Amino acid sequence: MSQTYALLVRHGEAVGNREGRLIGQTDAPLSDFGHRQAAAVGERLSALPITRIISSDLPRTLQTAEPLAGHLQIDIEHEPRLREISNGEWEGLMPDEVEARWPELWKRYGTGEDVARPGGESWADVGRRSVAAMKDLGDATDRLIAVFTHGGPIAQILRWATGLRYDTHVYTGPLGAMANTGISTVSLPEVRLLGYNDVGHLAGLARHPDAPFFG
């Protein structure tokens, strides 16, 4: 069986990430620091025999993919199913603003319940669409694909690759949050997790000095 290897790359730091804003499917671009991270991951991956670049169609992922596309002279394919969660009425808010306006819903969310955002999605919705996109890549003949997406879709794809439920809250279970431009590797169609949150290209760029430290 011919195997495809997908390099899952989270976007670089976007405007709003550093302060913890729920940017979801807004058109938030990369910050200046995020552009530096994108250049670093593009330089690193340019040495690999990548034949295809696929990205969520949101600006921050496309901007993260552009340095690699420039190095390899490959067009970026847009895949809307790899978008971050739709936050609905929570879109663009800070967590304390959400808590003030939806205290009971936010409390349930904080205990690990996969609640749907008012007018938006649940994490289960993200899991279903992002895993469906990855299953379609399993039919490809490409050996090595770069896939630029977001923390939520990557978390659900990695849960799927390790045999965990991907129709639940992404922040439950053993897998931690993805770093900006962290690289995780999944094989297809024989699904295996081969690499997790590799940030070896981010010397001095893993976390902005002004960002809060959560451990």
Side-chain angles (χ1 to χ4, degrees), residues 152-167:
I154 291 176
Q156 297 293 51
I157 292 165
L158 299 187
R159 291 175 72 94
W160 167 64
T162 53
L164 298 171
R165 287 180 56 188
Y166 57 90
D167 60 348

Side-chain angles (χ1 to χ4, degrees), residues 12-160:
E13 182 193 79
V15 173
N17 274 167
R18 200 180 306 167
E19 59 186 319
R21 192 169 296 279
L22 302 176
I23 58 177
Q25 293 189 6
T26 64
D27 289 339
L30 291 184
S31 66
D32 289 344
F33 192 72
H35 278 290
R36 292 169 63 193
Q37 293 174 321
V41 75
E43 180 70 27
R44 180 180 181 187
L45 295 181
S46 68
L48 300 178
I50 293 167
T51 56
R52 194 174 175 192
I53 300 174
I54 299 169
S55 175
S56 152
D57 59 351
L58 294 178
R60 58 191 184 272
T61 43
L62 293 170
Q63 290 172 351
T64 305
E66 283 169 359
L68 178 62
H71 282 300
L72 300 181
Q73 294 297 292
I74 295 175
D75 290 335
I76 302 170
E77 302 174 40
H78 297 192
E79 176 48 89
R81 290 178 295 177
L82 294 174
R83 287 181 178 184
E84 185 55 283
I85 191 168
S86 170
N87 279 315
E89 294 179 43
W90 294 4
E91 206 82 86
L93 300 180
M94 292 292 291
D96 59 349
E97 295 175 309
V98 175
E99 183 177 20
R101 293 172 60 180
W102 294 273
E104 289 303 315
L105 196 61
W106 186 252
K107 182 178 179 180
R108 288 163 52 197
Y109 181 73
T111 63
E113 182 180 343
D114 185 24
V115 299
R117 282 86 161 124
E121 293 182 299
S122 68
W123 286 120
D125 296 326
V126 176
R128 284 187 285 267
R129 59 175 167 79
S130 56
V131 168
M134 294 302 294
K135 287 179 177 178
D136 286 347
L137 291 182
D139 297 329
T141 57
D142 303 86
R143 291 283 293 168
L144 189 61
I145 300 173
V147 179
F148 289 82
T149 180
H150 307 260
I154 291 176
Q156 297 293 51
I157 292 165
L158 299 187
R159 291 175 72 94
W160 167 64

